[in-house]
Amino acid sequence: MLISGLTSVTFRKKSIKEVVALCKEANLLGIEWGGDIHVPPTDSQAARDAAARCRDEGLRVFSYGSYYSPTKVDDYIGEFEKTAETALVLGTDRVRIWASEQGRAETSERAYAAFVERMQKVGEKAAEYGVTVCFEHHQNTVCDGGSQALQALCDIAHPNVKTYWQPICPRAEDNLANIELLSAYIQTVHVYNWIGWDRYMLEEGKEKWEKYIAALRKIDREIPCLLEFTKDDSEENYFADAACLHALLK
């Protein structure tokens, strides 16, 4: 089942209270809280505030959108523990993480092997906390394509390590192929309509997204489909995108 939601990074300049109000007003079902502005991994009070406000408004906390990467710091386990603890304070068992800091083609085999080894240990630690870590399916990471992400997931081979999906390829056909490749692992979807780095209204990409939604419906699990960013960071455009998302999921 596909359900609607919002990433808090869509409104980085707004407060936790304002993000919750915008989510509620658009009739979206929940939020992924970002770890950069709204809920840093060192701010447990922000996590408690976000969790309480969502609970009071009947909204779910779908995930913690962290900026953790296992290759960014030497103490990668200690950093992950902070991230996992923040997720639990938020009331979610899903953590978005980053699959290193450069694309697969630019990553040496030695660096890739070190990434896999670290992620296997992160997976073990995630299991201890009862959380699932999901890679951002994104450029400039080792999960910068469907086959690359699948290879990483198979090499890590841990049940607590999964992935997000988003349309990172210029051609809809390639994005659909990535959904099929990663269908066993996709936990969350980021919804937007970009061409390169330029943002457009979701309605303008509705034909492509109808195909993506049809492919995602074949996956037999609950998958939050979360609006991420909006044209010109506009509230008006956000509400239009939310209406389009509702139409797509209806």
Side-chain angles (χ1 to χ4, degrees):
M1 180 174 67
L2 306 181
I3 54 178
S4 67
L6 171 68
T7 61
S8 76
V9 297
T10 301
F11 294 109
R12 282 190 168 106
K13 295 181 180 179
K14 296 189 180 295
S15 68
I16 289 174
K17 180 180 179 180
E18 289 170 324
V19 172
V20 168
L22 284 163
C23 184
K24 185 74 174 179
E25 187 174 351
N27 294 314
L28 303 174
L29 298 181
I31 299 173
E32 172 179 279
W33 288 104
D36 56 344
I37 300 296
H38 293 109
V39 185
T42 54
D43 192 344
S44 59
Q45 182 54 50
R48 285 192 290 271
D49 184 25
R53 290 185 183 278
C54 284
R55 185 169 56 250
D56 290 346
E57 294 296 337
L59 299 174
R60 293 172 60 180
V61 177
F62 287 127
S63 46
Y64 181 38
S66 82
Y67 290 83
Y68 172 83
S69 167
T71 56
K72 191 178 289 185
V73 295
D74 291 336
D75 184 18
Y76 66 97
I77 291 297
E79 287 297 310
F80 177 73
E81 288 175 333
K82 295 175 189 176
T83 300
E85 287 164 3
T86 302
L88 294 181
V89 173
L90 276 170
T92 182
D93 60 1
R94 186 170 299 173
V95 181
R96 189 279 309 275
I97 68 172
W98 289 79
S100 192
E101 291 76 52
Q102 60 183 6
R104 181 64 185 93
E106 293 74 45
T107 302
S108 69
E109 290 307 310
R110 180 177 180 181
Y112 177 74
F115 162 78
V116 168
E117 182 179 1
R118 286 192 172 201
M119 275 308 308
Q120 288 170 336
K121 293 177 181 177
V122 169
E124 293 171 5
K125 185 60 66 173
E128 292 178 20
Y129 277 90
V131 301
T132 298
V133 292
C134 302
F135 293 128
E136 180 88 348
H137 183 51
H138 204 281
Q139 302 91 334
N140 302 316
T141 74
V142 299
C143 292
D144 57 358
S147 59
Q148 294 89 331
L150 180 62
Q151 187 64 58
L153 291 161
C154 290
D155 289 341
I156 295 162
H158 195 286
N160 289 69
V161 180
K162 306 289 186 181
T163 191
Y164 279 26
W165 177 85
Q166 59 192 37
I168 63 174
C169 301
R171 298 193 329 139
E173 293 82 359
D174 295 329
N175 291 316
L176 288 166
N178 288 345
I179 292 175
E180 185 173 357
L181 276 176
L182 299 171
S183 61
Y185 299 94
I186 294 171
Q187 304 296 304
T188 301
V189 169
H190 281 167
V191 179
Y192 57 81
N193 181 31
W194 289 23
I195 299 176
W197 296 105
D198 295 325
R199 302 180 190 179
Y200 293 85
M201 300 299 294
L202 187 58
E203 181 70 31
E204 296 176 82
K206 190 174 182 181
E207 185 176 339
K208 290 185 294 186
W209 270 100
E210 286 173 341
K211 295 176 182 178
Y212 302 154
I213 293 297
L216 290 163
R217 286 193 193 281
K218 298 176 184 178
I219 302 174
D220 188 22
R221 74 179 71 91
E222 181 183 86
I223 299 178
C225 296
L226 311 179
L227 287 175
E228 185 181 43
F229 304 119
T230 191
K231 184 180 179 181
D232 301 325
D233 294 325
S234 158
E235 286 188 29
E236 180 181 358
N237 291 340
Y238 157 70
F239 285 114
D241 284 354
C244 183
L245 178 60
H246 285 305
L248 286 165
L249 297 181
K250 185 163 56 177

